[in-house]
Amino acid sequence: MAVLSLCLAHGNTFFFSIMTKLIVVAFLLLHTSDSSSSSSSSAPGAAGMLEPLFQYIDDHQNQFVQRLKEWVAVQSDSGDHTKWGEVERILNMTAVRIQEMGGTVEFADVGTHQLPSGETVLLPPVILAEFEKDPKKATLCIYGHVDVQPAKMEDGWTTDPFNLTEIKGNLYGRGATDNKGPVLAWLHAVETYQAIEKEIPMNIKLIIEGLEEVGSYGLLELTRKRNDSFFADVDFIVISDNVWATRTPALTYGTRGSSYFFVEVDGPKLDFHSGVYGGSIQEPMSDLIALLGSLLDHTGKILVPGVTDDVAPLTEDERKLYDNISFDLEEMKSVAGVKHFLQDTKEGVLMARWRNPSLSIHGIQGAFSEPGTKTVIPKQVTGKFSIRHVPNMDPPDVERKVKAHLQQVFSTLKSPNRLRVTATVGAKPWVANLKDPQYVAGQRAVREVFGVDPELIREGSTIPIAQNFQEETGKSVMMLPIGGHDDGEHSQNEKISRYNYIEGTKLFAAYFYELSLLQ
């Protein structure tokens, strides 16, 4: 094994050519945790195989951008159920594109959903699609979503969020990076193989939904239902629904989970004039502020007893992964528009964002928030906050501890008002195995397209489907992002650069090839 390692470390391509595929895979599985090892080197002949694919993508990039423009124009905001018709429209457009490429499409029913008003509505379906199968090939399942966050010009957008606009090489529009751009890039990668009449080296399946932004209603149940059918022959699942951490391409091996809380304080029967009742009653808003203020301190430390007790300890191997990440604190301060972070080092900031839990307060419903003045004492207010979970935190356990803490704090206020705490989401964190063959193929593909080793990163946000797929199907799951670190997903002026969109398409095409070598 020492001789094998030495040969690989010196990039002996002749050695690769005479070793059997089985030995190569065995070595890679043992050593891929070292991102500097030659396991990330592309197989001999990769450049010759991939160059015609890359040329086609370059030649058709304007067509690919135009298609993204057509998709961005669909206002598929899943957070507003009155726009679910637009969600279904973009799902139909996606299905038509797959069918035009020769794929088969099923619109899978995922049932109904009860709205806060009590009304029950039919959920938009989920696309289950596949291209022609070869039993001798491994099967890759691609997940993506085509719904988006809300967006309006008055939110602070510079351009119309639903009219893709190119400015200085950036493509601005809602859904450009999250997640319409990456979904199209996958389809364009498949199209490229077909167009130049090269055999796609993997069997390709797709699962595309339209409710990711609101929690993927019905998708977990569908996954369980189709585990013995649609997922039965799947070997790998890949997701491209996040962004790089820096300017360097990345592979993502973990995400945080989350729980969302509502803290409702209910007081008098009516809103009151503060000049009439102020000082004579215990106001719901005062109670709520006290409750929210008890959750964390000025350093960001969560004050809820026991919530962080189960956080997985930092290992030395994990700590080393942060050394090679080219995260520039000063640049990120500028991007974020802040004078300083709560941590002083690159490693501290990244760990706070990726592998440590956090608590964020998001807003107060029922409070006066319009311009001007209004001297009202609201009768009822609801605070909203979330906690991001990390391994080995358990969402139900977190929820129990949060509720107990808030009840205890409320009891000390001696308030005649009524408290109700509810929670939703409850998504688990996800962490992948960096020794998995997908990460070997991903590293090779990044090197082939971008000429650098990818950074191995985690993602601070929550993508529940990654953990759900891994837990329910038992399949290998990887996240392969193409979005830039400054794309502003969920924010004003969301964008994807033309460079990332087109080079990302090449990355996906190369990934098909590299993964096929590791079957």
Side-chain angles (χ1 to χ4, degrees):
M1 185 59 70
V3 174
L4 178 60
S5 300
L6 183 61
C7 291
L8 286 170
H10 284 78
N12 191 328
T13 56
F14 175 74
F15 179 82
F16 280 146
S17 68
I18 65 173
M19 293 304 291
T20 66
K21 187 180 296 183
L22 179 62
I23 294 176
V24 173
V25 172
F27 178 83
L28 292 170
L29 291 175
L30 287 170
H31 292 273
T32 53
S33 60
D34 180 1
S35 63
S36 66
S37 80
S38 62
S39 65
S40 59
S41 300
S42 296
M49 166 66 187
L50 297 173
E51 185 55 38
L53 296 166
F54 294 172
Q55 187 62 54
Y56 178 90
I57 293 167
D58 281 335
D59 292 345
H60 291 80
Q61 60 178 283
N62 288 338
Q63 177 183 328
F64 295 163
V65 169
Q66 177 59 32
R67 194 169 287 145
L68 179 58
K69 183 179 183 71
E70 294 167 2
W71 280 30
V72 166
V74 181
Q75 300 186 29
S76 49
D77 170 13
S78 58
D80 181 353
H81 79 277
T82 65
K83 294 183 178 178
W84 284 3
E86 290 296 279
V87 171
E88 294 194 9
R89 184 156 79 94
I90 191 63
L91 287 169
N92 284 326
M93 290 171 64
T94 306
V96 168
R97 182 70 202 127
I98 294 170
Q99 290 167 334
E100 289 173 345
M101 296 164 58
T104 60
V105 174
E106 175 192 355
F107 285 105
D109 180 18
V110 287
T112 60
H113 177 69
Q114 188 173 46
L115 301 174
S117 64
E119 178 187 1
T120 298
V121 295
L122 191 66
L123 292 169
V126 170
I127 289 176
L128 300 179
E130 60 183 300
F131 292 92
E132 184 177 1
K133 289 190 295 186
D134 180 343
K136 295 189 288 294
K137 297 177 184 176
T139 298
L140 173 69
C141 181
I142 300 162
Y143 164 84
H145 69 90
V146 289
D147 60 317
V148 299
Q149 285 281 311
K152 296 180 292 186
M153 283 293 294
E154 51 265 40
D155 293 336
W157 282 73
T158 304
T159 61
D160 181 347
F162 296 103
N163 179 22
L164 190 73
T165 304
E166 185 166 8
I167 302 174
K168 296 181 179 179
N170 290 320
L171 305 169
Y172 291 91
R174 178 60 89 215
T177 197
D178 182 20
N179 184 233
K180 292 176 178 179
V183 170
L184 274 171
W186 283 115
L187 295 180
H188 293 154
V190 173
E191 174 190 319
T192 298
Y193 276 92
Q194 295 175 333
I196 67 171
E197 299 183 343
K198 278 191 180 292
E199 184 177 352
I200 302 173
M202 306 285 296
N203 294 324
I204 303 296
K205 288 189 170 186
L206 301 108
I207 179 165
I208 309 294
E209 66 160 322
L211 293 174
E212 189 275 343
E213 299 292 1
V214 292
S216 299
Y217 299 142
L219 189 54
L220 176 58
E221 291 74 16
L222 178 66
T223 303
R224 290 169 175 164
K225 187 184 300 182
R226 298 301 183 93
N227 203 11
D228 295 328
S229 52
F230 181 80
F231 290 101
D233 60 351
V234 169
D235 299 288
F236 308 102
I237 299 173
V238 65
I239 301 168
S240 183
D241 190 23
N242 64 313
V243 298
W244 303 344
T246 68
R247 298 182 187 277
T248 303
L251 304 180
T252 304
Y253 67 93
T255 64
R256 294 195 289 189
S258 67
S259 289
Y260 201 99
F261 293 87
F262 301 86
V263 187
E264 179 184 300
V265 181
D266 196 7
K269 292 190 291 186
L270 300 171
D271 289 349
F272 284 149
H273 191 307
S274 64
V276 176
Y277 285 93
S280 67
I281 64 171
Q282 190 151 342
E283 300 180 13
M285 182 70 81
S286 299
D287 287 349
L288 180 60
I289 296 301
L291 292 167
L292 295 178
S294 75
L295 295 171
L296 75 168
D297 66 16
H298 70 283
T299 70
K301 179 183 178 181
I302 299 175
L303 300 178
V304 180
V307 159
T308 61
D309 288 353
D310 295 326
V311 173
L314 178 70
T315 66
E316 183 60 19
D317 285 344
E318 182 188 346
R319 188 200 62 76
K320 289 178 180 178
L321 293 174
Y322 292 86
D323 292 343
N324 297 324
I325 296 174
S326 56
F327 184 84
D328 187 312
L329 280 180
E330 294 307 314
E331 179 185 3
M332 290 311 298
K333 289 176 189 176
S334 176
V335 170
V338 299
K339 292 182 178 180
H340 63 84
F341 292 110
L342 293 175
Q343 299 77 27
D344 296 325
T345 65
K346 172 187 78 172
E347 292 80 6
V349 171
L350 292 178
M351 289 183 191
R353 289 171 55 174
W354 295 350
R355 67 97 56 213
N356 294 334
S358 65
L359 188 152
S360 299
I361 298 171
H362 303 296
I364 297 177
Q365 181 180 326
F368 175 63
S369 60
E370 300 299 323
T373 61
K374 184 179 181 181
T375 55
V376 65
I377 298 173
K379 65 176 181 176
Q380 181 189 78
V381 286
T382 302
K384 302 177 183 183
F385 69 93
S386 66
I387 292 179
R388 298 287 177 173
H389 310 144
V390 298
N392 297 312
M393 295 168 69
D394 178 53
D397 180 60
V398 169
E399 291 170 14
R400 283 192 297 271
K401 289 173 178 175
V402 168
K403 290 177 179 179
H405 168 74
L406 290 172
Q407 292 288 354
Q408 189 276 326
V409 172
F410 189 69
S411 69
T412 67
L413 302 178
K414 308 297 183 184
S415 175
N417 298 320
R418 297 169 295 282
L419 171 67
R420 187 166 74 105
V421 182
T422 56
T424 185
V425 183
K428 293 181 180 179
W430 165 75
V431 176
N433 179 5
L434 285 173
K435 297 179 181 180
D436 187 282
Q438 286 208 81
Y439 284 89
V440 179
Q443 290 179 69
R444 289 179 171 180
V446 168
R447 284 184 58 83
E448 192 64 47
V449 175
F450 297 100
V452 299
D453 286 321
E455 295 178 339
L456 301 177
I457 66 171
R458 288 165 76 159
E459 170 70 43
S461 62
T462 302
I463 305 176
I465 198 61
Q467 174 63 22
N468 291 345
F469 279 149
Q470 187 166 287
E471 194 171 79
E472 297 299 329
T473 71
K475 310 296 184 179
S476 162
V477 178
M478 184 180 77
M479 296 187 69
L480 182 60
I482 63 171
H485 73 290
D486 57 351
D487 277 358
E489 68 274 34
H490 289 207
S491 188
Q492 299 93 336
N493 300 319
E494 176 185 346
K495 58 89 177 172
I496 190 169
S497 70
R498 178 184 280 259
Y499 175 80
N500 279 52
Y501 182 45
I502 299 305
E503 297 305 300
T505 304
K506 295 177 186 177
L507 175 64
F508 292 161
Y511 173 69
F512 292 159
Y513 173 71
E514 296 290 358
L515 186 58
S516 73
L517 300 180
L518 298 177
Q519 296 177 36

